[in-house]
Each structure stands twice: as C-alpha cells, then as structure tokens.
Amino acid sequence: MIRLNNVCKDYMTKAGPRRILDNVNLTINPGERVGILGQNGAGKSTLIRLISGAEPPTTGTIERNMSVSWPLAFSGGFQGALTGADNVRFICRIYGVDFAPRFQFVKEFSELGLYIDEPVAKYSSGMRARLAFAISMTIDFDCYLIDEVLAVGDARFRERCRVELFEKRRDKAMLIVSHSHRYLKGNCDRFLLFRHGAIEEHDDFTHVYFEYKQLLGEGFDTKEQMIAAMN
C-alpha cells in the first residue's frame, strides 16, 4: 500500500512560492491501476515524482509499503559519460541483482545494438527512453509509475512494451499519466482528476473524461456527444 497524508508541494517562482498540490490524501492498494488526468502543469508528473521519492513533499507524509519504480522512461538519472551497459550495471548494483541476465534482456529488448556500448550522452531521446524502459522491466517492483511511456518508438515497439508491462505484470499496481482516453480506459480501474491543486477520485471513466474535457475548454454539451466523438 502507498498512502499520501495531507501532502502539499510548493515550487519557488519569481513571484514567490506556487502551490502545485494542496492537501492531497490518496491510497493506492496492491494491484490497482490508477489513471491520472489533468491540464498541463496541474501536478500529474509532480505526484509521480513524489511517490517515486525523487522529490520530497513540502508538507505531509508519504508511506510506502510496496516497492516503487522510478518513473518509466525517465532518463534523468543516467550518467551520460557512461555507456548504456555501464548504466545497467550501476542500477543492478543499487538493487543488488545479477547483472548478466538483466543486461542480456536490456540489450535485446531495447534494440540498441552497438549503441549499448556507447556513452548515453550520444543517444537520442528515443534511445534513452528505450533504455530506461528496458531497465525498468529488469527490476521487479510492486508498483510501476508510468508517464506516457508507450509513446516511445514505432507501433511494433509500443506493442512489445504493452505486452511486457500490462500483460506480464498484470498483478502489479500502476499509476498511469496519459492524455489518451483509449490508453487509460483500457488499462485502469480508478481515475484521478487534477483540478486546482486538488485530486478528485472517480471510478467511472466516462464521467471523469467528460470533466477533464471541460477543464481543457474542449467540453461537449453531453456525455453522449463525447462518446460519439471518441469512437
């Protein structure tokens, strides 16, 4: 279980502190798949970073009784001067797992070829994302944090990612940030809508997506009109 208790997050700006998340309370249970919707800048990725431990909350507490992944496809933790292989080795040491079988998986899944032995600084953003996703799949987490990760690569690679993550790890908890209604509706059973620093919880995807479209100023007069446009 992951529990957020009265969590607030502020960032400093030239105009002073700006509150992104305001008194958030949230519980994520084992095996739940939670979809996250909200306008740009609403705090979706901030929530992911807080839960991962990459950033601390300004106030409040976060309890983690499950192992949590880093944000999938997040490559900020890579050391650019090291090769892809060396980055895999470094992460395996951190988590105390065997390098050889995991390196073989990363090499084959990422399809980086000879670039696996080149410095990550030479990688394109897509190559870095492939490496990050493949490494994420080598460590067994109880909860995966996903931020539009399956947008990486061509259709064939995205399908491989979908099978690896959603089918082979169907019993894992997941938090998924996405703007795609098909992606969220097809993979989630709970939904969070970010509105003015607060989080609203919904079980009905049609209702939450209708509210989301209203926030974007792309609202429909009725849910029926929205559903027709989505199909």
Side-chain angles (χ1 to χ4, degrees), residues 4 48 68 71 75 95 126 128 132 160 168 184 192 201 215:
L4 282 70
I48 292 291
V68 181
S75 55
Y95 285 94
R128 292 168 70 98
R160 290 179 62 213
K168 294 185 179 180
L184 292 175
L192 305 179
E201 295 197 50
L215 276 177

Side-chain angles (χ1 to χ4, degrees), residues 22 30 44 62 71 80 123 142 189 212:
D22 189 15
K44 306 183 298 296
I62 301 176
Y123 287 13
D142 298 319
D189 44 43
Y212 169 61

Side-chain angles (χ1 to χ4, degrees), residues 153-167:
D154 57 21
R156 181 185 60 83
F157 187 78
R158 290 196 297 271
E159 175 61 15
R160 290 179 62 213
C161 290
R162 187 194 66 79
V163 171
E164 192 67 33
L165 182 59
F166 293 117
E167 293 189 12

Side-chain angles (χ1 to χ4, degrees), residues 17-194:
R18 181 191 174 201
R19 177 146 294 183
I20 302 299
L21 298 178
D22 189 15
N23 200 39
V24 170
N25 291 280
L26 176 67
T27 299
I28 300 159
N29 296 304
E32 286 188 322
R33 294 186 177 183
V34 183
I36 302 175
L37 287 159
Q39 296 171 291
N40 290 333
K44 306 183 298 296
S45 294
T46 296
L47 178 70
I48 292 291
R49 290 194 298 271
L50 293 180
I51 292 176
S52 73
E55 294 184 18
T58 303
T59 60
T61 60
I62 301 176
E63 303 172 31
R64 302 177 188 85
N65 296 315
M66 297 189 290
S67 60
V68 181
S69 77
W70 55 84
L72 268 63
F74 174 69
S75 55
F78 287 143
Q79 171 51 253
L82 296 179
T83 67
D86 287 337
N87 274 280
V88 177
R89 183 177 289 105
F90 177 70
I91 290 171
C92 287
R93 287 177 179 173
I94 290 177
Y95 285 94
V97 296
D98 291 339
F99 167 73
R102 287 165 178 83
F103 172 67
Q104 189 62 32
F105 171 84
V106 170
K107 184 176 180 180
E108 293 176 0
F109 192 90
S110 66
E111 300 178 336
L112 290 173
L114 296 176
Y115 279 98
I116 197 72
D117 293 314
E118 293 292 330
V120 171
K122 295 184 178 180
Y123 287 13
S124 67
S125 59
M127 293 167 67
R128 292 168 70 98
R130 284 177 176 236
L131 178 65
F133 183 88
I135 291 175
S136 299
M137 296 298 97
T138 67
I139 309 295
D140 187 32
F141 295 108
D142 298 319
C143 179
Y144 288 87
L145 307 177
I146 305 164
D147 197 344
E148 292 283 10
V149 64
L150 296 189
V152 175
D154 57 21
R156 181 185 60 83
F157 187 78
R158 290 196 297 271
E159 175 61 15
R160 290 179 62 213
C161 290
R162 187 194 66 79
V163 171
E164 192 67 33
L165 182 59
F166 293 117
E167 293 189 12
K168 294 185 179 180
R169 292 162 179 78
R170 61 174 57 92
D171 61 331
K172 305 296 185 180
M174 297 181 188
L175 271 75
I176 304 173
V177 175
S178 179
H179 297 285
S180 168
H181 65 271
R182 290 184 177 85
Y183 188 27
L184 292 175
K185 185 178 181 180
N187 292 300
C188 300
D189 44 43
R190 284 176 61 197
F191 305 94
L192 305 179
L193 177 65
F194 283 65

